[in-house]
Amino acid sequence: MRQGVPADQHGPRETGGTRAERGDAHRLRADVPATATHEVDGLLAAAVRKALSSTQAYGGVVYLHSRDRRSLVLTTVAGVPLSLLSPMRRIAVAGPLPAAVSYRTGRTVTLADTEDTMRRFPQLAVGMPYDFSSACVPIASDGHTFGVLTAFWPASQHGVPERAPRHLRTIANRLGGALAGLEGGGHSVEAAGDTAVVELPAPSIAVTRVGLFDWNLATGRLNADEEMCELFGVPPAEYDGRAVTLTDRIAPADLPGLRAAARAALDHRRVLAARVRVVDPEGHTHPVELWGRVPETGPGGRTHLVGAVLDSRTGSAAAAAVERLRDGVFSLDPDGVAGYVNSSCELLLAARREDLLGHHPWDVLPWLSDPVYEDRYRAAMLSQQPTAFLALRPPDTWLAFSLYPDAHGVTGRVVAAEAPPGAAAAPVVTPAPSRPGIGSTYHLLQLASALTEAVSVKEVCQAVGEQILPAFGGQQLAIYTAREKRLHLVSQTGYPDGFLDRFEGTPMGTRLPGVDALSTGTPIFFESVHQLSAAYPGIPLDEMRAWAFLPLIASGHPVGSCILGFDEPRPFSSEERGLLTALGGFIAQALERARLYDAEFALARGLQQALLPHRLPRIEAVRIVARYLPGTQGMEIGGDWYDAISTGAGACLVIGDVEGHNVGAAATMGQLRSAVRAFASGGDPPGEVLRRTNRLMVDLDPGLLASCCLIYLDRTDGHACAARAGHLPPLLRHPDGHTEALHLPGGPLLGIDNTAEFPVTELDLAPGSILALYTDGLVEEPGTGIDEGVDRLRTALAHAEAATLDELADRLLRDARRSAHRADDVALLLAAYTPD
């Protein structure tokens, strides 16, 4: 059943939109709420159980998309404690997590171990820094993706079991088909606000046997089920229904007490409670307990006792055996709550059993309140590997803990240990009244890590919208920055058109919650419309029903305000308030860093753009276009450049790249471009232009190297002369579409040897031919060789269909534009020989 919700009273699923739309949704649910919800829950639970049994996974989860499809919500869990998944309860569809990637791409995503996770999904490693293997598969049908099915295995050198992804895909596809059928019938299969916890079968060791009986003391008849007969050593097929047949198996010394207890129960309507010894055919005895009650009085009066007989030999023997151990033994359920503590454990921990049972040990014992100890339990449960640690019980007693996990919890062992080398004395422990869980810490770190990757103001706002808003289930977000004692909107998500216009440029003295939060440095939370309206009468309202106003303050400096809106009344727990308050500080720091970045980046890019041609010459019979894409990572600026110089006979095409990504590279690029332009305009052949530019580069000694390629193209007959200095080969597309890389003989990079020579290659272009000159940013790709990138560009140029040269340039850059984290700049120069 859903956690915190009775099995027959599931709460409504997420709603949104206008009040009228929410009313329609609730009316629709009034017709088929229980059937649809229970059917979806049953399908998800069955899929998870099937996934675990067919792949030997220890745990599995299902995410379904939210109503607005911006989030994936944890809907079903099996084999993994729900409390340990708190950082992953809601994840952004656009986020860099395995489940989100699988949902977006429709592909299976597998992770072998912690190292694989850290390399490919660092944000997951921050939120769940434990050693496990996992596989995510999309739940889809007919092009519609409902969510993601994920399974977990203990980490091993083999990673995910070989056939497991295929089994998971089959299960997910069948689940997707079933959900599509429900959706086609008008039922909602979106994520609800709660999570179903699927119970897995417990170990099949019978610790208690129970038999049932109906005993008529007036007639001596006793109806017993098969279990009771077996407990008394009587074959069920041979039992004659007489009480004496069973009581003959009771030790004679115990019979008078049993008869007295039975008669007292009948006379005084008390509960029968008796403990007797049963003698088996071999003469061995074992204790059983009889419990019974007097049913409602019937025609025969008080003559009957109905009840049960309990044989708990296995459990009692196990408990007795554990109690005799000198080692401390305890048991934690999957959520870390103590369910058993033996007497030796009480002595070692110096705590009463009554105080420990039903609580987390780190909440009861102050010296275990350091989050590192809770983290060891989490590591054991999520990795399903035994773990151990030392802890100091004040004042000077060291204890060694060992944790042995499975899907049903943790068995712990504790023994006295020697102090580790260099151990310090125990500090005075003064635990805080309410310590935030380690899961909350990981949640905070995971969301904060998304901000550390954002470098511009736009990226910071995007990270907040894509990561933090879905994590808390919010529907609206607004970020304001403070400039000249006024608040200015820099980003908003989910607000009605024009709603925020009235607040633009709000003076800092205005009485509004966003202003007050920033002025006082204290976050303000409103759990309902009534609370907000009472505190700020007349404030404009939209469809939201709860709000969090967070001050953005960095190093004591007011940066702005962040507003989160929720479409339902929401009680903010102390943990949520703490998380949101901390996130406000992270957002403020990220915004301050991003504003500085934007200012410096604009200055650097302005310098670089000023060094590139402002326009290209118009030359008869030669059409020329160029494209330049700056890198998208960091503050670095590159030394890529292009140029087209008009000569008496046609055009000189130039492409070059100075190594490095900094202002020095851009400055060297400007010097080289000026030198090449001066030498080429003077009529020097291409080899001489490169030779003289190389000598200048060596004389300048900027500590950098550069590559360059020059092609002189005669507009009258298409004759071309080309020279290269360590640059990538130009491409030539012939009129029939055939395209080749021109691997011209060339000289070394500029700046190495002032005596270097640069050979010249001559070629003839047919009318309709196209030359492509480019820098390595267009063809480089991590994990592949540069030659593969050149060939990929050659193929793209050969097959590209474009009506104009400008359209062709845009098509060639399309893949580069798609990359959100392209480290290098891209320069592209196309020239078409069109004498007609």
Side-chain angles (χ1 to χ4, degrees):
M1 75 180 69
R2 301 268 182 195
Q3 179 165 322
V5 182
D8 58 347
Q9 298 179 7
H10 290 290
R13 293 190 174 268
E14 288 186 338
T15 58
T18 65
R19 190 178 305 173
E21 290 170 341
R22 289 199 298 272
D24 292 340
H26 286 300
R27 284 191 293 275
L28 176 62
R29 291 191 189 92
D31 297 332
V32 289
T35 300
T37 302
H38 288 149
E39 202 163 348
V40 171
D41 287 347
L43 289 171
L44 301 183
V48 172
R49 288 194 183 99
K50 180 66 174 176
L52 268 58
S53 63
S54 63
T55 66
Q56 286 73 55
Y58 71 77
V61 302
V62 173
Y63 285 93
L64 293 182
H65 64 67
S66 61
R67 177 191 57 80
D68 58 12
R69 299 178 184 268
R70 293 190 310 192
S71 306
L72 293 176
V73 182
L74 188 62
T75 308
T76 305
V77 176
V80 183
L82 181 60
S83 60
L84 270 60
L85 296 175
S86 58
M88 305 294 168
R89 293 287 288 270
R90 299 181 70 99
I91 64 176
V93 165
L97 294 175
V101 172
S102 179
Y103 178 85
R104 293 197 307 267
T105 64
R107 297 196 300 266
T108 299
V109 177
T110 61
L111 294 173
D113 51 27
T114 303
E115 182 179 346
D116 193 20
T117 302
M118 180 64 74
R119 183 177 65 254
R120 297 168 54 196
F121 296 97
Q123 285 193 23
L124 176 62
V126 170
M128 295 176 65
Y130 307 110
D131 201 15
F132 57 85
S133 303
S134 65
C136 300
V137 297
I139 302 169
S141 178
D142 296 330
H144 179 192
T145 303
F146 297 95
V148 175
L149 171 64
T150 301
F152 303 95
W153 297 266
S156 70
Q157 60 180 352
H158 305 295
V160 175
E162 182 179 358
R163 298 183 180 180
R166 179 170 59 85
H167 288 305
L168 290 177
R169 194 85 186 210
T170 300
I171 295 167
N173 288 341
R174 291 174 180 169
L175 176 59
L179 294 178
L182 280 177
E183 189 175 57
H187 303 322
S188 171
V189 293
E190 297 163 352
D194 47 15
T195 305
V197 178
V198 178
E199 293 294 334
L200 299 178
S204 56
I205 299 177
V207 295
T208 302
R209 300 175 66 187
V210 180
L212 303 177
F213 66 84
D214 182 345
W215 186 6
N216 188 328
L217 272 72
T219 65
R221 301 293 297 178
L222 191 152
N223 294 324
D225 67 358
E226 293 184 359
E227 191 72 24
M228 182 171 179
C229 292
E230 292 178 354
L231 288 175
F232 277 78
V234 176
E238 300 177 8
Y239 179 54
D240 57 8
R242 297 185 306 139
V244 67
T245 303
L246 298 180
T247 57
D248 282 348
R249 299 296 181 123
I250 297 177
D254 295 343
L255 278 174
L258 173 62
R259 293 192 180 104
R263 179 54 55 189
L266 288 177
D267 293 344
H268 304 292
R269 299 191 65 84
R270 295 200 308 239
V271 174
L272 167 65
R275 183 181 178 89
V276 299
R277 291 167 294 165
V278 174
V279 183
D280 64 21
E282 287 77 26
H284 303 127
T285 63
H286 63 270
V288 298
E289 296 178 9
L290 286 91
W291 295 83
R293 65 177 180 83
V294 180
E296 293 298 327
T297 304
R302 299 178 183 174
T303 60
H304 284 259
L305 282 172
V306 296
V309 57
L310 282 73
D311 176 13
S312 56
R313 280 176 294 173
T314 304
S316 300
V322 175
E323 288 296 326
R324 287 190 287 269
L325 292 176
R326 293 296 177 261
D327 294 351
V329 177
F330 60 91
S331 176
L332 305 179
D333 71 8
D335 288 313
V337 175
Y340 174 77
V341 176
N342 75 346
S343 55
S344 295
C345 194
E346 286 185 284
L347 295 174
L348 289 166
L349 300 182
R352 296 191 312 156
R353 192 177 319 205
E354 295 78 7
D355 296 332
L356 292 167
L357 296 180
H359 301 281
H360 297 110
W362 45 86
D363 289 338
V364 176
L365 304 171
W367 48 276
L368 282 181
S369 63
D370 190 315
V372 70
Y373 301 124
E374 180 188 351
D375 193 51
R376 291 299 81 209
Y377 144 77
R378 293 170 62 90
M381 286 301 300
L382 287 176
S383 68
Q384 287 295 295
Q385 299 289 342
T387 187
F389 60 88
L390 288 174
L392 175 59
R393 192 197 78 196
D396 56 4
T397 302
W398 284 91
L399 300 175
F401 289 79
S402 301
L403 306 180
Y404 303 92
D406 70 5
H408 302 279
V410 170
T411 295
R413 175 175 173 265
V414 55
V415 297
E418 295 183 359
V428 178
V429 179
T430 54
S434 60
R435 177 182 64 85
I438 189 68
S440 302
T441 302
Y442 285 141
H443 195 177
L444 180 63
L445 291 174
Q446 182 194 31
L447 297 179
S449 69
L451 294 175
T452 63
E453 298 177 5
V455 293
S456 67
V457 170
K458 179 181 179 181
E459 290 178 356
V460 169
C461 295
Q462 183 178 359
V464 175
E466 291 182 351
Q467 300 291 329
I468 296 173
L469 192 63
F472 290 92
Q475 284 70 43
Q476 289 183 351
L477 167 75
I479 297 179
Y480 285 85
T481 57
R483 298 195 310 271
E484 299 177 353
K485 298 184 179 181
R486 292 179 179 270
L487 288 180
H488 299 275
L489 181 69
V490 294
S491 178
Q492 68 89 15
T493 300
Y495 281 90
D497 291 341
F499 179 80
L500 296 178
D501 292 349
R502 72 198 80 188
F503 301 108
E504 178 58 27
T506 298
M508 287 299 296
T510 308
R511 191 171 184 276
L512 287 171
V515 177
D516 290 347
L518 182 58
S519 300
T520 62
T522 304
I524 303 175
F525 300 91
F526 295 106
E527 299 182 346
S528 65
V529 175
H530 175 73
Q531 286 186 1
L532 177 61
S533 299
Y536 295 89
I539 188 172
L541 299 173
D542 59 1
E543 293 293 324
M544 295 298 102
R545 296 293 175 264
W547 296 264
F549 294 86
L550 308 177
L552 305 182
I553 299 175
S555 303
H557 172 67
V559 176
S561 293
C562 178
I563 305 169
L564 296 176
F566 305 85
D567 64 356
E568 295 292 344
R570 179 189 185 97
F572 293 95
S573 66
S574 59
E575 184 174 300
E576 284 183 320
R577 291 172 184 247
L579 281 174
L580 288 169
T581 302
L583 283 171
F586 280 119
I587 296 170
Q589 294 286 352
L591 277 177
E592 276 291 85
R593 184 184 69 248
R595 289 202 296 192
L596 176 62
Y597 168 88
D598 283 346
E600 294 181 352
F601 186 77
L603 179 62
R605 284 297 179 208
L607 168 63
Q608 189 178 39
Q609 292 294 336
L611 297 174
L612 292 173
H614 290 207
R615 64 179 182 273
L616 296 173
R618 300 175 64 89
I619 300 172
E620 183 182 350
V622 181
R623 288 161 43 209
I624 305 172
V625 300
R627 294 290 186 271
Y628 181 84
L629 291 181
T632 58
Q633 284 188 333
M635 264 293 298
E636 299 175 341
I637 59 173
D640 297 25
W641 92 91
Y642 63 87
D643 207 348
I645 306 163
S646 178
T647 65
C652 175
L653 309 174
V654 185
I655 195 84
D657 185 2
V658 178
E659 68 172 341
H661 295 82
N662 48 45
V663 174
T668 300
M669 176 267 283
Q671 292 175 309
L672 291 183
R673 176 177 172 252
S674 299
V676 170
R677 171 170 279 272
F679 298 146
S681 299
D684 289 344
E688 181 63 17
V689 171
L690 289 182
R691 190 180 68 81
R692 297 179 67 180
T693 304
N694 177 56
R695 291 180 62 182
L696 175 64
M697 181 87 168
V698 173
D699 290 342
L700 291 174
D701 191 20
L704 300 172
L705 303 177
S707 67
C708 187
C709 180
L710 274 76
I711 299 180
Y712 281 29
L713 178 58
D714 193 317
R715 59 183 174 80
T716 59
D717 57 7
H719 183 71
C721 297
R724 281 198 311 139
H727 199 80
L728 294 170
L731 303 179
L732 174 61
R733 172 173 164 170
H734 298 278
D736 61 359
H738 171 66
T739 304
E740 60 179 317
L742 302 176
H743 293 283
L744 312 174
L749 293 169
L750 302 177
I752 295 179
D753 179 8
N754 63 355
T755 63
E757 297 292 333
F758 301 91
V760 176
T761 301
E762 299 189 6
L763 34 133
D764 292 300
L765 276 58
S769 298
I770 298 175
L771 282 168
L773 288 75
Y774 52 92
T775 56
D776 54 7
L778 185 59
V779 294
E780 279 186 329
E781 185 175 321
T784 62
I786 192 71
D787 291 339
E788 294 180 41
V790 172
D791 192 62
R792 188 168 54 248
L793 179 63
R794 181 195 62 78
T795 303
L797 178 59
H799 295 92
E801 296 181 1
T804 66
L805 203 60
D806 283 284
E807 184 179 339
L808 177 60
D810 292 336
R811 290 182 67 88
L812 294 178
L813 289 183
R814 184 175 302 166
D815 289 341
R817 289 182 189 275
R818 286 177 182 165
S819 175
H821 299 286
R822 177 173 25 81
D824 207 354
D825 293 4
V826 172
L828 174 66
L829 186 67
L830 297 182
Y833 176 52
T834 56
D836 295 334

